[in-house]
Each structure stands twice: as C-alpha cells, then as structure tokens.
Amino acid sequence: MLLKTRISQLQRALQESTSYAQWQERAEELDAMTGLDLWRLEMESEDYDFRLIRERLQQLRAYQRQPDLCDLVRALREGLHHDLGNMGNPMLYGRARHGTKHLIEDYIDQVCESLEYVAQHEIACLPIDQKIKFFRETAQSFGQPALMLSGGATLGLFHIGVCKALQEQDLLPEVISGSSAGSLMAAMIGTHTDEELRALYDGDDFFMHAWSWRRWYRGFFGEGFAEQAQLEQFLRRNIGEYSFGEAYARTGRHINVTVSPVNMLHKPRLMNELTSPYLFVWSAVLASCAVPLIFPPVTLTTQDGEGHELPYMPGQLWVDGSVKSDLPRTRLTHLYDVNFFIAVQVNPHVVPFMLDDRDRLERDRLMSWPARILREELKFHGSGVLNFLRHQMKHEATRQLFDHAYSIISQRYNGDVTIVPPGYRLHHYRHMLRDPNARIWRQFRLEGERATWPKIAMIRSHIRIARTLKRCLHDLENNRQRRQNDVIDLHRDLGQH
C-alpha cells in the first residue's frame, strides 16, 4: 500500500514539474520503483536490431584501442547511418519514463567518443585536409534534424516552451520551419541570438498586441475580419527588419516559412535564405498568417540592393502557409539534408485527433487489415471530392475554405517525434484569437516544456551524433585557419627582418 501511495504521489509530482532536472529525477525514481529500469538493462527486444547495435559497439571499442586508427576511421565512414537498426523506434521510448535501452545509449556514447577521438588525434592515413573532408562527407551522409512548427493562432505560444526545453538541453535544431503562428515562432527563434532568446523565453520586450477586429461584415467581402495593419506592426516589432539572408548571417539558424498562393496555377513556396535571401522575414510571416476570411491575402515585400522595400512577384497574392503545406518535409529534406523531423502540432482542428507516437504505432499494429483498407479508402475518396470542389468554386472565400478542408485531409501532421499539447480545454479555445498576456504566456510556455521533457531522450538519441559531427568539423576548420594565420604571421615577421 505504501508503495502504491508513493507511486501515485510521484506520478502527480511528475506532471507538476517546473524544470527538466526536476522531471528527470522524478521519472527515474518512478522507473526504479516500477521495475522499468530493469527493462532498460535488457538488450533483447523485437523493436530494434539489438544484435547489430551490439556488434557495432564492440567493433568501435576494439578499433579505438588499436595503435593504428585507420580501421576506426573506415568503420565510422562506412557504418555510420542514422537510425541504425531501428534504434529510434518510438516503441523503445514510451515504456520507461526516462531513457531507453542502455545498449542504444552506450552505442551513441561510443560513436560520439570515437568521432571526437579521431578529431583530436593525429592519424597517419588522415592528414588535416583529409580529416576535414572525412567529417564534412560523413555529416552530409548522416544528415541533420529539423524542427517543424504548426499553425494555431495564439495557441502557437506553446512553441515557445518547446524551443526553450530543447535549447536548454542543446537540442534545438538549426533548421526550423513554421507555418501561420508557427512561422512567427520560427522567425523569432531565427532572428534572435542565443543570449537574446533567454530573455525572449521570459516574454521580455515581446509586443503582445496582435489582434484588432474590424466590422463583422468586412470579412465576407474578402477584406478580412481582423485588421492586417495591426498584425504587421506586431510582426515587425517582434521579428525585426531582417531579410532571410541577414537573419541567417546573424544567428546561423535556417528559418523556413511556408506560404500558399491564391492563384491555383502556383504551388506553395518555402521561403528561406536559399530560396529568397532578400525577402523580409516579417513579410513572409505576414502572408503565412493570412488565414482565409480572418486576414486578406498578402503581397510579399523584398528589398533592393540599398535596402529599400519593393514588392516581391508583384501581382501575386499569398495566404496562410498551413493551407497547403503545414509541415514541409520533402522540401526541407532536399534543401538541408534533413534526416529527422520534430513536429510540434498545436492546430485546434488537429490536436483533438492526435495520438502519442507510441500509441499511434501500437494502434496501427493492432488494426486489422480490413480496417486499414477502409481508413485509406475514406481518406482517398474524401480528399478526391474536396480537391474537385475546390477547383470548381468561383467565389474566392469559398474556394479557400475548400482548399483548407482538402489540406486538412491530405496532409500528414506527425513527425519522427511529435509534440502536442496534452489536450485542449475551453480556456485554450477562448484565448486562440486574443492577444496574449504575461499569465497566458507563462502558462502556454510551461505546457510546451512539459510536453517536450518526455521526448528529450528520444530526440537526443536522434540528434547527438549529428551534433558531434558538426562540432568536430567546426573545431577542425577553426584549427586549420589558426595554423594558416600563424604561418602567414611567421612569414610576415621573417620578411620584416
């Protein structure tokens, strides 16, 4: 009885944690009391290829002990693959409250240790230029993570908590995409330095006045129910006057904003420092937030060589990015070699139907094949009907509504890791189209953090190797540059004498 009481107390305390350290301590104690820490010690599981992971771990340990490290270099170059042996399977991360199989954690530790060992030691078969080439090519083949933030109006404040939790654990990806409200959060993260972000997470200097409503009948004439000028002021004050290229140069983060064309002949665009370096970030976010009926379509704004504002693709209008591309996986993969997606979903019409990653996989595994066929058929025919109707509508507002309905059915809303609020209540919906205040900011931020903490172990398993590769490459390139500068200085000194 005492054990059950203590477990109940810990479960409540876990849900009320106010920091990751506190949450981790309580989760580990719960795992120990319920015996789940023993599950982590067991190698065997049908959910991953434990034999392959064990073999690779032993091989790397043996090669690192050899005087000649060339075998270690070859093993890393040819055998380092993302999600090796299905070790990132969500089924391996939902059983114990904290962490996964120790074999997986030991393997990742060994890979990172071996990479750092190669970077820090002289290797006969790998001079400095070849070593940099090794790390650059290995990093490219391994890939990197991306964070995708969905739309959701003021509910998008949840994203702030997610980003805060990830950054505190050094797990915030450099590639960040957003649509609608998610584009605002992606832009704020991508235009603020690490030091500035710490103040931003507390809500310091955040201009909170985004919503200003017009007369109710204006929306039915395509002018929008809300005042777009107020939204633009809100965005420019919180994001700043940076182009995508300037933002990347300032923070090193790749901001990606999805916008949807009004013209049916055009396709959705992903705006970033590669596709539109001179476009103002706030302009793309304004278009991505132009939810049909609430805000009118937008003409994008770019800058000329002297920094003056001018229209981007004059005559073309753009609307809410989540209409057609809420989570743009394919485009991000092509542009940034992304191998792992963290999706944060806060859309009010999606969250009530979302399942946890582990629950979703378990449901699919238990679903009978007739039920699977029926589900896919309903989705196929439903999207087909809506696709037909959206092409038939002449009235712009009606067509955009059918466009939105089609996108809801046809899009995929989960990632390799999916973070969602634990559930919306009435007060969430009441604040969805209202200006935030300090209390709501803190509440949504804490909800985002608490939803992220149980995912930290899984995210770290996916990201840590990519981070180590990038850090080693950065250090090696800096060391080579310092050596070259030293040689230049030496020649200059000799010339002066």
Side-chain angles (χ1 to χ4, degrees):
M1 182 63 71
L2 290 176
L3 179 62
K4 289 184 178 180
T5 301
R6 179 56 181 161
I7 290 174
S8 297
Q9 291 174 344
L10 277 173
Q11 288 174 336
R12 287 194 299 272
L14 188 71
Q15 296 173 353
E16 297 170 358
S17 299
T18 56
S19 70
Y20 179 67
Q22 189 181 72
W23 182 92
Q24 180 180 352
E25 180 182 355
R26 292 167 177 175
E28 289 177 342
E29 185 176 353
L30 266 172
D31 285 343
M33 296 185 72
T34 55
L36 290 174
D37 55 341
L38 299 178
W39 172 85
R40 296 180 62 200
L41 289 171
E42 299 170 354
M43 291 186 187
E44 294 82 357
S45 172
E46 62 181 9
D47 293 317
Y48 77 119
D49 190 344
F50 67 91
R51 294 180 183 86
L52 174 62
I53 304 299
R54 182 177 59 194
E55 178 185 339
R56 287 284 297 158
L57 173 60
Q58 293 170 348
Q59 184 185 59
L60 291 174
R61 284 175 174 170
Y63 286 157
Q64 190 168 322
R65 288 194 294 266
Q66 294 178 357
D68 185 354
L69 296 177
C70 292
D71 286 338
L72 177 63
V73 172
R74 290 180 63 86
L76 289 169
R77 183 66 186 90
E78 293 183 348
L80 196 56
H81 302 284
H82 176 254
D83 202 15
L84 182 71
N86 202 30
M87 65 181 186
N89 186 350
M91 301 299 291
L92 294 165
Y93 294 86
R95 188 163 181 180
R97 291 172 180 83
H98 179 262
T100 184
K101 296 288 188 181
H102 283 291
L103 175 61
I104 294 174
E105 295 173 349
D106 290 345
Y107 170 73
I108 294 172
D109 287 345
Q110 183 59 52
V111 169
C112 294
E113 180 185 327
S114 295
L115 288 169
E116 290 169 351
Y117 196 85
V118 169
Q120 295 166 6
H121 288 77
E122 297 290 337
I123 303 176
C125 64
L126 209 65
I128 183 65
D129 288 340
Q130 288 299 312
K131 187 179 288 189
I132 289 174
K133 182 174 182 289
F134 162 82
F135 275 98
R136 184 177 292 124
E137 291 177 348
T138 305
Q140 181 179 354
S141 68
F142 190 83
Q144 66 174 320
L147 177 65
M148 302 185 296
L149 308 176
S150 79
T154 304
L155 299 176
L157 292 176
F158 180 88
H159 296 317
I160 289 291
V162 174
C163 293
K164 179 175 182 288
L166 292 176
Q167 187 175 31
E168 287 177 346
Q169 299 303 312
D170 192 28
L171 296 174
L172 183 65
E174 293 178 359
V175 179
I176 307 175
S177 78
S179 60
S180 198
S183 70
L184 165 63
M185 297 304 164
M188 290 174 62
I189 298 298
T191 55
H192 289 73
T193 64
D194 289 344
E195 189 65 32
E196 292 168 341
L197 282 179
R198 283 185 267 277
L200 173 64
Y201 293 143
D202 291 331
D204 295 349
D205 300 324
F206 182 75
F207 180 63
M208 299 206 179
H209 187 26
W211 297 98
S212 179
W213 297 97
R214 312 173 76 178
R215 295 183 183 275
W216 64 269
Y217 59 83
R218 303 291 288 272
F220 294 107
F221 292 98
E223 300 176 24
F225 290 106
E227 186 62 60
Q228 199 167 65
Q230 182 60 51
L231 177 63
E232 180 178 332
Q233 181 189 17
F234 167 82
L235 297 177
R236 298 180 81 153
R237 288 186 61 172
N238 288 316
I239 296 171
E241 301 294 327
Y242 301 105
S243 68
F244 280 96
E246 292 167 343
Y248 174 70
R250 188 169 194 265
T251 68
R253 284 185 269 270
H254 306 276
I255 311 169
N256 293 265
V257 176
T258 55
V259 295
S260 301
V262 170
N263 190 327
M264 295 291 289
L265 299 176
H266 291 265
K267 295 181 179 180
R269 292 286 187 94
L270 189 64
M271 303 303 191
N272 51 51
E273 85 282 358
L274 298 176
T275 62
S276 48
Y278 314 119
L279 189 73
F280 284 106
V281 178
W282 64 262
S283 171
V285 176
L286 183 66
S288 195
C289 290
V291 180
L293 293 182
I294 297 181
F295 294 106
V298 171
T299 299
L300 295 172
T301 304
T302 187
Q303 58 180 337
D304 60 19
E306 298 179 353
H308 300 139
E309 295 183 10
L310 68 158
Y312 173 86
M313 296 181 67
Q316 298 299 325
L317 297 176
W318 307 85
V319 294
D320 181 5
S322 65
V323 169
K324 295 183 180 178
S325 187
D326 195 38
L327 305 177
R329 288 174 184 76
T330 303
R331 192 70 171 130
L332 290 174
T333 300
H334 290 166
L335 288 172
Y336 300 106
D337 193 30
V338 173
N339 63 5
F340 171 68
F341 292 97
I342 306 168
V344 188
Q345 184 56 251
V346 299
N347 264 311
H349 59 278
V350 177
V351 169
F353 305 100
M354 293 288 290
L355 293 174
D356 184 80
D357 294 316
R358 191 172 187 274
D359 294 336
R360 175 173 51 81
L361 292 175
E362 188 68 29
R363 180 203 61 185
D364 291 344
R365 187 160 65 180
L366 296 176
M367 185 179 291
S368 65
W369 64 264
R372 292 186 186 184
I373 292 175
L374 179 61
R375 181 183 66 180
E376 295 304 316
E377 284 294 312
L378 288 173
K379 182 178 179 179
F380 175 77
H381 291 294
S383 61
V385 170
L386 289 171
N387 187 38
F388 172 79
L389 290 174
R390 71 191 181 118
H391 284 90
Q392 303 306 310
M393 294 297 129
K394 303 300 182 183
H395 186 262
E396 182 59 31
T398 306
R399 187 187 64 75
Q400 289 183 22
L401 284 176
F402 276 105
D403 227 13
H404 212 153
Y406 168 75
S407 298
I408 290 172
I409 291 181
S410 61
Q411 287 190 62
R412 177 185 168 195
Y413 289 99
N414 58 285
D416 297 290
V417 170
T418 309
I419 302 173
V420 296
Y424 284 149
R425 298 194 261 307
L426 181 60
H427 78 273
H428 288 94
Y429 291 102
R430 282 207 312 265
H431 288 286
M432 188 173 68
L433 300 178
R434 292 183 182 177
D435 288 331
N437 53 43
R439 181 182 64 82
I440 293 300
W441 177 282
R442 290 191 298 269
Q443 175 193 329
F444 284 7
R445 183 193 64 192
L446 183 57
E447 289 179 1
E449 290 180 90
R450 286 173 173 168
T452 306
W453 293 332
K455 308 286 187 176
I456 290 293
M458 185 175 177
I459 293 171
R460 182 177 285 116
S461 294
H462 281 279
I463 289 181
R464 190 174 164 206
I465 294 175
R467 279 290 169 86
T468 302
L469 282 164
K470 187 160 189 175
R471 183 173 62 253
C472 289
L473 177 60
H474 180 266
D475 291 344
L476 286 167
E477 289 176 334
N478 284 344
N479 289 339
R480 182 175 64 176
Q481 186 62 51
R482 280 196 295 269
R483 290 180 186 178
Q484 291 174 345
N485 291 339
D486 289 343
V487 170
I488 292 172
D489 291 341
L490 178 61
H491 287 167
R492 184 185 299 115
D493 293 341
L494 291 174
Q496 290 175 354
H497 289 85

